[in-house]
Amino acid sequence: MSRLPVRKTYKLFIGGEFPRSESGRTYEAEGQNVARASRKDLRDAVRAARGAFGKWAGMTAYNRGQVLYRGAEFAEFCSGPKEVERSIDRVVWYAGWADKLAQVLGSSNPVAGPYFNFTVPEPTGVVGILAPPEPALAGLVSRVAPAIVGGNAVVVVASELHPLAAVELAEVLATADVPGGVVNILTGRRDELAPVLASHMDVNALDVSGADGQVPELEELAAENVKRVVHGAPDDQSPWEIAGFLELKTVWHPIGV
């Protein structure tokens, strides 16, 4: 006897929980019902990210790296096993950078005076990410990992056409040691959510890797509170991808004090 399939509704991931959209809306993608996030959902996600930022940034670099190692498990909603393997390798690669950023990106600077002068990398804060449409999993991981390894919290707008990999990744993160609110994932219409994310006054940086033709409009909106706008590679790995989400603080200290 055949049975009617009971289709799952893939929910949002905000503050470590899986709520439906407050609007009650869904849309169909990849043959599944997916929550369609609203502007309020996005504002809730930014609030959750801001709340989690202090704790995440305050963890030691070693501990952040260990948490990311735990997150190197992925689901099957992608182009195939090779993409899963590439995504796992990418998370492990970025996790290894967690306790090396200060040595590589920081410096001790020569000055003409009785002072020590140091440049130290620090997280930017809350980062909005427009995930690349494809590859669904590797593209998402390639943008999220470099942002959070440096201590930032993120609000991600997932691929509109291929959102299932993002939601499955959220389910992995929810069972790992990543604190709730460090990664928040929204599914829905990009042209509806991207301008709200770009103009939000409590977002410190915006990754437009998956913005397609919206980039000039989003850059103009981001300028309202002088957000850093990152034009990252959709499917690449480099320590300079991490540097794009960091601020460099210079510290002066008198010698002998």
Side-chain angles (χ1 to χ4, degrees), residues 186-247:
L186 303 174
T187 53
R189 305 299 186 198
R190 176 154 302 181
D191 58 358
E192 175 186 359
L193 298 174
V196 182
L197 187 61
S199 61
H200 199 294
M201 299 302 285
D202 201 25
V203 174
N204 305 109
L206 181 68
D207 185 328
V208 295
S209 303
D212 299 326
Q214 288 182 289
V215 173
E217 174 195 355
L218 298 178
E219 288 181 327
E220 185 175 340
L221 291 170
E224 292 181 13
N225 70 329
V226 201
K227 286 183 186 65
R228 172 178 294 200
V229 177
V230 179
H231 298 261
D235 187 15
D236 197 8
Q237 65 181 35
S238 165
W240 303 114
E241 297 293 343
I242 307 173
F245 300 106
L246 297 175
E247 301 289 344

Side-chain angles (χ1 to χ4, degrees), residues 12-13 27 37-38 41-42 45-46 127-133 136 139-140 143-144 154-163 166 183-198 206-207 209-211 214 218:
L12 311 175
F13 184 55
Y27 75 106
S38 68
D41 294 319
L42 191 146
V46 173
V127 176
I129 297 176
L130 302 175
L140 175 67
R143 304 316 307 154
V144 170
V154 300
V155 176
V156 183
V157 177
S159 168
E160 183 175 332
L161 298 178
H162 305 288
V183 178
N184 305 274
I185 298 177
L186 303 174
T187 53
R189 305 299 186 198
R190 176 154 302 181
D191 58 358
E192 175 186 359
L193 298 174
V196 182
L197 187 61
L206 181 68
D207 185 328
S209 303
Q214 288 182 289
L218 298 178

